[in-house]
Every structure is written in structure tokens, then in C-alpha cells.
Amino acid sequence: METAKFVLLILCFCFFSSGISTRPTVVKIGAIFSFNSTIGRVAKVAIDAAVDDINNDSSLLPGTNLLIQMQDSRCNGFTSIIQTIQFMKTEIAAVIGPQSSVNAHVLSHFANELQVPFLSFSATDPTLSSLQFPFLVRTTYSDLFQMSAIARMVHYYKWRKVVAIYSDDDYGRNGIAALGDMLEERLCRISYKAALSPGATRTDITNMLVRIPLMESSIIVVHVNQDLGLTIFSTAHHLQMMSKGYVWIATDWLSSFIDSSVPVEMEIMNSMQGVLTFRQHTLKSEKHGLVSRWRELTKHRNNEVLQLNSYGLHAYDNVWLIARALEAFFRDNGTISFSKDLSLHSFSLEAMTKFNEGQSLLNKMKTTEFDGVSGKIQFDSDGNLIHPAYDILNVFGSGMRTVGFWSNTSGLSTTSLETIYTNMTSNSSENQNLYTVIWPGQTMILPRGWLFPQNGKELRIGVPNRVILTEFVSKDPDTGKMRGYCIDVFTAAIDLLPYAVPYKLIPFGDGIQNPNYTDLVQKVASNVFDAAVGDITIETNRTKLVDFTQPYIQSGLVIMAHTKKFQSYAWAFLQPFTVEMWCTTGAFLIFVGTVVWLLEHRVNDDFRGPPKKQCATLVWFSFSTLFFAHREKTVGTLGRAVLLIWLFVVLIIQSSYTASLTSILTVRQLFSPITGIQGLIASNEPIGVQVGSFADKYLVQELGIQKSRIKVLSSTVALEFGPHKGGVAAIIDERPYLEFFLKAHCQFSTIGSQFTNSGWGFAFPKDSPLTADISKAIIKLSENGDLQRIHDKWLTRKGCSSENKEMDSNQLQVSSFCGLFLLCGMACFIALLIHFSIITIQFIRHYTPNDSIAARNTISRRSFQDFLSFFDEKDESVKSRSKRLELQNGGSNSDNELSIPGEK
């Protein structure tokens, strides 16, 4: 019996032990990459070292060893597919690879179908989305972040356009597409894309590079594989394109090559001096252990010098990621099991097996977190490693120097990323910073980002051929060359540029009438002309087509009309005031006189007497205050206050009238029925504009003037005829034209003020780098006085006398004195309110008995006529009568008191 219990116990123990221990003794993982590439050679050593370290670590995967099976893809897509099919027949739990983005697009379909996780340490194509390829785990940084870093750097240096050289495959095309998106976010763009086949020859590269100097932009981004990239730099060096003025930016393929091949042959290094490149940032403290024993790991490689690069660190972390995910997978009682995929039988691929628990292992990988030799290994919701960051390197001498860092949180910075992550700080867009770069040509001067096209062609510059006011710009009839104020400004600005600009001035117009300036701008936008130089107004619609330089002269629309000398006449003394002003002044004279009469009538004998006398006194007093000639004295406080304020108003009105009348009678005045733009709009008179001017569209579209009223003119004859003889009432044109014209034509004058603000500039195609340089030159011309000297040379001539001034209506308006009239009116109202309040109280006291019932009956019987009679009485009479009543009331009260004892 005891023996049976013992056997049963042993069997139970064995059963439960076998149920718990689901870990296999060996887990097979695969690796597929190119053994002979720079990245592949480093990755092979790193993967072998990681497998050994994990198998020797008893705390991780106890009782289980990793068995790595590597296949050489030979940088060939077809070979990669064949090798992957072989892997899928051997029950592989996970695959490290593929190495290239091109292969990743293909092999990810195998991963999805057979549910075997693929972990790529070097496929950086931004389109390898975890949504489309869930079983592809990218353990390196997407090129989306590298292109964001390049775009930030281009914007930091204030460049606008770049040239992109890329390999014509998934890696190159999708990377450059991401760069274009990142640049557009910063208002920059790719001006030219040069695609090269992955197997391009040196001749193909030469033919491509010779076209770049014709593209203006000298900022060149190279996003290719290593072999193609080295050939590009060697060819560019031979073509003298690694010289001053060029900027070359290589993606991280270059830093991987230099890091892995130190020391690099000086012939290769000399071909890429001054190039900027990027390196995936890795934490120095974490990788120190692997770096220290790297020499020992590579000493048996046939005397080949092989250094560790960032992709080697990611490959090392790949193996550890698989091991840690397997550990978590086994803890949750996961099992490594495979089954046949029946859907593959029809393709003769029945030997390939499907990983039954692949999804579970994949989930463990995506949630695994640890500190690897490359940094923090942790994935975000999009399947990307957190904290993407790059070192920005400058090729110099026999190596590279760090000029700064980029991360998606801090942008460009010279502060180490370890410090930024520790302090959790971030740089604003204003605090971006990099160390000084040594650019191609061994210079530290920042390249401007573009070169003048070296194609021997001159800039075709359109110039308006004016036929009136030719001092601004026109064709010289003797020499056939373009001349004028605008041309001199342009040539002076060109002379200030630090580089030569060959150009040819081409007249635009038929020479019979002024050309249409909008058509000229349109030809610049359509590349018929490379630029337009002349008296071109910077106008909103035109800025949508081209870019304008800094204005070299201020402008704006003004009105010019025919004016006549003002002739004095018998009623000239009425001219200083408008009719409304005369009426308002007269009304206030009567009003103030009436108020003073009301205030003084009860206390001042000068304002009392028969009605006729009082009316005469009121009228005389009212108008005599206009000349301070009133003889009636005011005795009341309120009357004096009102009169004082009114005399102040009269003083201001009288002084203004005197000054205006003096000006009218002694100074020559110009007269025009037009007073300004509002009056011109309200009238139905025809309006003239210059041929080719934008003024006609502005008047119709912005001011709502009927197009039938606009007449396009080529001279001022229509203005001399006037609207009644088939001419126009006024001409609207830009101020520089009219100021120059009026200096020799005294019969005309500008009316009112300028009602638009603009300027003249030179037009260039959109994003032309010449725009900024010419603008800087114009500012220099303004600062050193050359701009004014050019203006004086062409636009200064003897003008009319100073009496011809801009005319506006000089009549004094009511609005000029409304404040004074309002002050006087309020003073009168307050004084009357106080005065009548006092009289009302006196009236109630005088006519109200002591008995309250009798008082109410008395008040109800009193009429308004009694109040007027009381108001007409002199104040002294009222007071005397009140005293007598008080004495009478006092005597009767005494009699009543004496009669009371007699009644007892």
C-alpha cells in the first residue's frame, strides 16, 4: 500500500513538472542581411556577440539557448526572398532583418502571412508602417525623423531651396518624399530632384551632376547607398563642386561608413571635406562595455579593420529584444509551435510553417522596455522607438567633428541630449543653435544657399518702354539702350552684389503708348522674362504671381485736377465759414442772449422794462457779444458764468474767422470744384488714368466706381478740356508721376490727400534667391545716400512757385468747433436748471399758507400764469412783500394768544 502511494506521488510530480516546464532547450532565430556590406559586416559580429552574451547569462532564458541561423542576402531582393522561404521551413521563431528598405517591403508580406516577427535594425523607409506591416518591428529610427532634422537645419540657416540626389528605389524615393513634406512645413522646398538607379555608373553620375549648377540652389542633399554616395562625392570633387558656395548634406549612410572604416583613405576623405552628415545618436555610457571589447570580437577577421557603428549597436539590441520578449512569453506559458499553412499548398510551399503563437510573441516585443547599448528600447503607439535623435557631424580632415544635435523634442542644440533628457528641457524655435561649420572650400562663412546658374546665359529682364514721363524709364532713341531713374537704381543694386550677374534689358511695349504692367508681371511668372525692372507698383494681385524686392520709392494714388486762382468778390467776407457754420453761430448768439436774459431779468434793471424794450435789448445784447460791445452789465452769478464761457467761444470763433479771411484776401488761392476722393466718387464726372496703370482696376474693384467713367489717357489734354468738353474732371495716378509732372505744369494741382499706400519694386519669379540679395542692396543704397542722389539726378527740376500747394477746402466747418458749442450749451442748460429750481422754491414758499390742507388747496388753484407773473416781478419786490406778510402773520398770532385767557 505504501509502495503504491509512493509511485503515484512520483507520477503526479512528473506530470505537473512537464506541464510547467514548457520552455524548449533551443529556440531558433534567423538573420538575413548582406554579409559584405559595411552595415552587414558590423551587424554579423554584433549579433554573434549578443547571442553568446545571452546564452552565458543564466538569469535570462534559463535552460534555453538561442540558436542563430544567418543567411547572406547579397544586397539582392531575389536572394532575400529565397533565403526567407528557406527560413520559414525550419521553424524560426523570429528573424533579424531584412537590412534594406527595399527587401523589407517584400519580406514583410511573408512575416504577415506566417506570423513570424521580423526585426529590422537598418530599414529606415518612412512608409514601412506598423499598420500595413504589423509583424515588421523596426528597431532603428525612421528616416522621417532624419528628414525632419535636415529640414530644421535648412530652415535654421535660412535657405529656401535644396537639390535632392537619391537612389531610385523605395529607400530613396520615400525618404526624399518625406524630406519634401518636412521642408514645406518650414516654407522651403526641393527645387530639383535627381534620381539615380542603384547601379548607376560614373558616367551617369557625371551627367546628373553637371545639371545641378544650372538649378540655382547650391544646397545638395544626398540620400543613397554607400557605394553610390562615395562615387557621387568623388565625381563632384573632380567637377570642382566641393568648392566654396556649395553645401553638401549626406544622410547617415556616410557617418556609418566613416565610423566603420576608420581610418578612411585620405583620397576618399579629401573628396568630401566640409560635408554635413547625420549619425543616429546612441548613449555613450550604455555602449561602453561593447565598445571596450569590440577589438577582441573582431581580431580574427583576416586583418580587416572593422569599427562599430550605430547600426551595429541596434543589431546587438535586436537579439536582446528577442531574448527578453521570449522570457516574458515563456513566463505566460507561451509555447513555440508551428503548423502547416494550407493556403500555401496550391503554390507548392507546403513546407513553410506558420508560427501559432507569433502574435503573442510580437505583442511581448512591442511592450518590452530595457536600456540597450544604443539607448532606451521602447516603442510608441506607432511602432517607432521613442526619443529619436541624431548627431550632426561635419567632415573635416581625416574624420568628423560634432557641430550639434537634433531630437524631436529639442530641435537643434549644442547641449548634449543626455543633459536634455535628464532635465526634460526643450528648445523653442528661437533658441536653435549649432557650432560653427567648416564648409566646402575650407571656409567658415555661411553659404547663401544658391549660385548664379553657370550656363553662360544672361538674365532676360523685361523693362517697360514708357512714352510719357520717360525720365522714370524708357528706351533711348539714339543708343537703343534702356535708361532712366529705375534703371540706375537697378544697376547700382547689381553692383553691390558680391557676385557677377549677367543680364540683358529687353524693352517691353510697342513704343507708341505705355505698356500694361500687369502683363509684364505675368510674363515673369510664366518665365518669359527672368525678372522685370521698372516703375512697377507692388500690388496685392501681383504678389500672388511674383516676388518683389524691397520698395525703392514710396508711392500711392492721388488726385490731380485743373485748378484756378480764387477771385475775390463782394461777398468774400462770408467765405471763411460754411453755411452750416454761419447758421450755427447765429443760432447760438440768439440762444445765449436768451439764456442771459432769463438769468438776469429778475435782478438786473438793464434786462427789464416794456416788452418792446426787452426784445430790443435781447437782440442787441446777443449780437453785440460777437464783438465784445455789449453795454448791459450782468449782476447774477449764473449769468456771469454763462457769459464768460460764451465770450471764450466767441474769441476762438472770431480769431479763426480773422485768420481765414486774411488768408483768402492776401494769399493766392487755388480753387477746384473737386475736394477729394469721396467727392469724386459721389459725382458722375469721368476720371482719367494713365495707360498701363493698375489704377483703373483699383477704382472699379475697390472703390466701386463704374467702369464707364474711367478713361485711359496718354496725355493731360483731356484734363485741360474738362468734363464738359469731352475730357475728364480729374486724373488719378501715382504720387511720383504727379509730383514730377506738376513741377512744370502749374495749372494743375493735387487734390486732397493720398488714399493708398504702396511702393515700386523689381519683380522676380517666386522663391528667386536674387529677390533677397537685391532687397539688401536697395537698403544699402538708401543708407549710403546713393538712392537719393539717383532720385535727384533724374526727378529734380525747377518747379512752380511755392504758392502752388495741395488744395483742400479751407472753409471752417461746424465740426471744428463742435466741442466749444457743446461746452457752451451744457453751461446754459445747467445754469437754467439751477435758476428755475430756485424760482420754483421761492414761488411755493411765497404762495403757500402755513396750514397744510390750505396749502394743497392753494397750490391746486395756482395757474402757470401766476408763476409767469411771479417770474416777471423783480426779486426785490418779492422779498419786500414776503417780509410784510411775515409781520402780519406774526401780529395776528399774538392777538390770538391774548384772547385765550378771556375765554375761561
Side-chain angles (χ1 to χ4, degrees), residues 211 301 341 385 474 478 546 551 630 765 854:
R211 292 197 298 269
R301 294 188 59 83
D341 190 345
L385 287 175
S474 64
D478 298 326
V546 297
H630 55 287

Side-chain angles (χ1 to χ4, degrees), residues 456-471:
K457 295 183 179 179
E458 298 175 319
L459 283 181
R460 292 172 50 83
I461 299 179
V463 181
N465 185 16
R466 295 186 59 87
V467 296
I468 57 173
L469 299 177
T470 56
E471 288 81 1

Side-chain angles (χ1 to χ4, degrees), residues 228-300:
L228 198 56
L230 295 178
T231 307
I232 289 173
F233 284 130
S234 174
T235 307
H237 184 261
H238 177 72
L239 296 174
Q240 297 183 352
M241 293 177 64
M242 302 299 295
S243 56
K244 185 178 179 180
Y246 284 95
V247 175
W248 290 84
I249 303 172
T251 50
D252 60 355
W253 64 264
L254 180 57
S255 63
S256 298
F257 165 73
I258 296 177
D259 286 339
S260 304
S261 307
V262 174
V264 182
E265 296 179 13
M266 282 308 300
E267 182 181 356
I268 297 176
M269 293 302 297
N270 288 336
S271 68
M272 59 181 72
Q273 291 294 304
V275 173
L276 287 172
T277 186
F278 292 80
R279 177 201 290 147
Q280 294 191 17
H281 183 75
T282 54
L283 300 178
K284 295 180 180 180
S285 59
E286 300 295 341
K287 67 183 180 182
H288 179 73
L290 182 60
V291 172
S292 63
R293 57 194 182 96
W294 185 257
R295 185 183 296 274
E296 182 67 21
L297 294 172
T298 58
K299 68 180 181 179
H300 302 299

Side-chain angles (χ1 to χ4, degrees), residues 109-157:
H109 293 287
F110 285 91
N112 290 350
E113 180 66 26
L114 302 176
Q115 296 193 359
V116 176
F118 277 56
L119 291 83
S120 178
F121 57 88
S122 58
T124 58
D125 182 353
T127 63
L128 290 171
S129 166
S130 61
L131 296 176
Q132 183 181 5
F133 306 114
F135 277 85
L136 176 65
V137 181
R138 179 165 30 209
T139 57
T140 186
Y141 299 137
S142 166
D143 273 339
L144 180 67
F145 301 110
Q146 183 172 205
M147 298 309 169
S148 180
I150 294 175
R152 177 66 74 96
M153 186 169 65
V154 169
H155 181 263
Y156 169 76
Y157 287 120

Side-chain angles (χ1 to χ4, degrees), residues 255-439:
S255 63
S256 298
F257 165 73
I258 296 177
D259 286 339
S260 304
S261 307
V262 174
V264 182
E265 296 179 13
M266 282 308 300
E267 182 181 356
I268 297 176
M269 293 302 297
N270 288 336
S271 68
M272 59 181 72
Q273 291 294 304
V275 173
L276 287 172
T277 186
F278 292 80
R279 177 201 290 147
Q280 294 191 17
H281 183 75
T282 54
L283 300 178
K284 295 180 180 180
S285 59
E286 300 295 341
K287 67 183 180 182
H288 179 73
L290 182 60
V291 172
S292 63
R293 57 194 182 96
W294 185 257
R295 185 183 296 274
E296 182 67 21
L297 294 172
T298 58
K299 68 180 181 179
H300 302 299
R301 294 188 59 83
N302 300 324
N303 297 323
E304 180 185 11
V305 178
L306 188 63
Q307 301 294 336
L308 185 61
N309 59 34
S310 60
Y311 288 108
L313 298 174
H314 287 301
Y316 183 88
D317 284 340
N318 256 13
V319 184
W320 279 90
L321 175 60
I322 294 173
R324 291 177 182 274
L326 284 170
E327 177 66 26
F329 175 75
F330 290 142
R331 282 203 201 102
D332 289 347
N333 294 327
T335 58
I336 304 294
S337 62
F338 297 84
S339 61
K340 297 294 184 179
D341 190 345
L342 299 179
S343 63
L344 300 176
H345 286 191
S346 59
F347 301 102
S348 300
L349 298 173
E350 60 274 6
M352 298 176 65
T353 56
K354 183 176 182 179
F355 186 11
N356 296 327
E357 298 292 331
Q359 183 65 56
S360 178
L361 179 59
L362 176 66
N363 294 338
K364 296 298 181 185
M365 289 179 178
K366 291 187 175 182
T367 56
T368 297
E369 299 180 17
F370 67 98
D371 292 326
V373 294
S374 62
K376 181 74 172 177
I377 304 300
Q378 182 181 346
F379 299 97
D380 61 18
S381 58
D382 295 326
N384 294 313
L385 287 175
I386 64 171
H387 301 320
Y390 289 86
D391 302 336
I392 303 175
L393 309 171
N394 183 204
V395 177
F396 178 71
S398 59
M400 299 180 292
R401 51 187 289 267
T402 302
V403 296
F405 308 94
W406 176 90
S407 74
N408 65 334
T409 56
S410 64
L412 302 177
S413 174
T414 53
T415 305
S416 69
L417 296 178
E418 287 79 2
T419 302
I420 291 176
Y421 292 147
T422 300
N423 299 332
M424 297 301 292
T425 59
S426 61
N427 284 355
S428 65
S429 58
E430 292 80 12
N431 296 329
Q432 304 296 291
N433 192 28
L434 292 175
Y435 290 121
T436 302
V437 175
I438 301 175
W439 305 100

